Amino acid sequence: MVFENKVLRKIFGAKRDEVTGEWRMLHNGELHALYSSPDIIRNIKSRRLRWAGHVARMGESRNAYRVLFGTSEEKDLWGGRGIDEKKLLPSSLLSKNLKVRIYKTVILPVVLYGCETWTLTLREEQRLRVFENKILRKIFGAKSDEVTGEWRKLHNTELHALYSSLDIIRTIKSRRLRWAGHVARMGESRNAYRVLVGRPEGKRALGRPRRRWEDNIKMDLREVGYDGRDWINLAQDRDQWRAYVRMAMNLWVP
C-alpha cells in the first residue's frame, strides 16, 4: 500500500492546509477518496479469490488443479509462494512442451515488458542471450555425447534448434520496429510523436554520446537491408514497414 500511496501522491499532488495555509501531502484517506477505485490490496484479494474458484472447478486433468490438491512433490515445484523456476523448469514431472509454454507465457512477458522502448547496447543484448540460454538449458536438460557417452550441456545452436521459436533478441528487435512504425504514423498531435522528432534544449555533456532509441531503430533497419536515413517517411507505408518487421523476426542473430 505504501507503493500505491506514493504513486497517488505524485498523481494528485499536494494540498493547501485550511488552517495554516501551507502546502502539505495528502493523507491516505484523502488519497483514496480522490482515487475512488478499489485499492491495490482489495484488487489482489479479489483476483486471488476469483482464480482460486476457477482452479477448484478445473478437475483433476488440469495441471493447476493437481498443483493445488496434488502431492507434496507437485506442490513443492511452485515454491509455495509462486513459480520457482529453479525447481519447476528442471523437473521431470512436467513435459518439455509445457515448460516451454510456461517460459513463453509467464517468464518472457515479464522480462520483455516495455521492450519496445528499450535502448540496448551490444553488451546488454549478450546478457539477454545468456539469460535465455540458461533458461533453455534448464528446460531441455543435458545431452549424452555420441563419442564419449558422457552427459554434457547443450550448445547454443542445439538449444535454439529445440526451442524452434524467435530468440529473445529477434523478439525485441521486431517489437521495437513495430512500435517505431506505429509512433511514426501518429502525427504531430500525439505526445509520443513529438518526443520522437523533438530536439531537447541545452548542451550535451562531454564525452561519447549515449546510444539513443532511434539509433537502435536505424541499426535494426540496416541489419534487414535498409540503408536510408528517413525511416519515419518509410514507416508511412504500412505494408513495406510490416515487411521489414517480418525480416527482423526471421533474421539470424549470432
Side-chain angles (χ1 to χ4, degrees), residues 142 216 225:
N216 274 146

Side-chain angles (χ1 to χ4, degrees), residues 48-62:
R48 189 164 54 198
L49 285 174
R50 189 182 300 117
W51 174 246
H54 178 63
V55 173
R57 293 188 295 269
M58 282 182 175
E60 297 180 1
S61 62
R62 303 294 292 274

Side-chain angles (χ1 to χ4, degrees), residues 13-142:
K15 177 183 179 180
R16 188 181 293 275
D17 192 280
E18 297 176 357
V19 179
T20 64
E22 297 180 352
W23 290 94
R24 63 171 176 82
M25 289 194 302
L26 290 167
H27 301 313
N28 292 351
E30 295 170 323
L31 284 174
H32 292 286
L34 291 169
Y35 185 43
S36 66
S37 295
D39 62 48
I40 194 169
I41 300 301
R42 282 191 289 170
N43 263 317
I44 291 171
K45 289 183 177 181
S46 61
R47 292 186 184 187
R48 189 164 54 198
L49 285 174
R50 189 182 300 117
W51 174 246
H54 178 63
V55 173
R57 293 188 295 269
M58 282 182 175
E60 297 180 1
S61 62
R62 303 294 292 274
N63 287 322
Y65 184 92
R66 291 200 297 269
V67 167
L68 182 61
F69 300 105
T71 64
S72 59
E73 186 178 7
E74 290 172 327
K75 292 180 180 179
D76 190 50
L77 281 178
W78 301 85
R81 297 179 61 86
I83 292 177
D84 185 352
E85 53 92 11
K86 292 182 180 179
K87 297 179 181 179
L88 182 68
L89 297 181
S91 172
S92 59
L93 295 176
L94 303 178
S95 68
K96 289 182 174 61
N97 288 337
L98 181 57
K99 293 176 189 177
V100 169
R101 287 176 59 188
I102 290 172
Y103 171 60
K104 288 182 177 180
T105 59
V106 179
I107 300 174
L108 202 57
V110 175
V111 174
L112 296 184
Y113 181 78
C115 69
E116 296 87 351
T117 62
W118 288 357
T119 301
L120 294 178
T121 63
L122 295 176
R123 184 179 182 183
E124 289 165 342
E125 288 183 3
Q126 181 61 26
R127 286 180 176 177
L128 287 168
R129 290 193 194 97
V130 170
F131 160 78
E132 184 172 62
N133 290 341
K134 182 178 179 181
I135 295 292
L136 293 179
R137 284 192 175 93
K138 289 182 178 180
I139 292 174
F140 295 112

Side-chain angles (χ1 to χ4, degrees), residues 204-231:
R204 179 179 289 169
L206 294 175
R208 180 181 178 181
R210 297 179 65 182
R211 179 172 292 181
R212 302 171 300 171
W213 180 77
E214 188 175 2
D215 295 332
N216 274 146
I217 298 300
K218 292 177 180 178
M219 290 176 62
D220 295 343
L221 288 171
R222 282 198 294 270
E223 288 177 356
V224 295
Y226 177 75
D227 295 323
R229 294 185 177 182
D230 191 4
W231 67 269

Side-chain angles (χ1 to χ4, degrees), residues 50 59 155 157 168 173 210 220 223 238 244 251:
R50 189 182 300 117
H155 301 313
T157 53
I168 196 167
K173 288 177 183 289
R210 297 179 65 182
D220 295 343
E223 288 177 356
R238 291 176 181 268
Y244 280 114
L251 182 68

Side-chain angles (χ1 to χ4, degrees), residues 178 185 234-235 237-249:
R178 188 180 297 114
R185 292 188 294 269
L234 173 70
D237 186 339
R238 291 176 181 268
D239 292 334
Q240 191 174 7
W241 190 260
R242 193 177 294 117
Y244 280 114
V245 173
R246 291 198 189 101
M247 290 172 66
M249 293 173 68

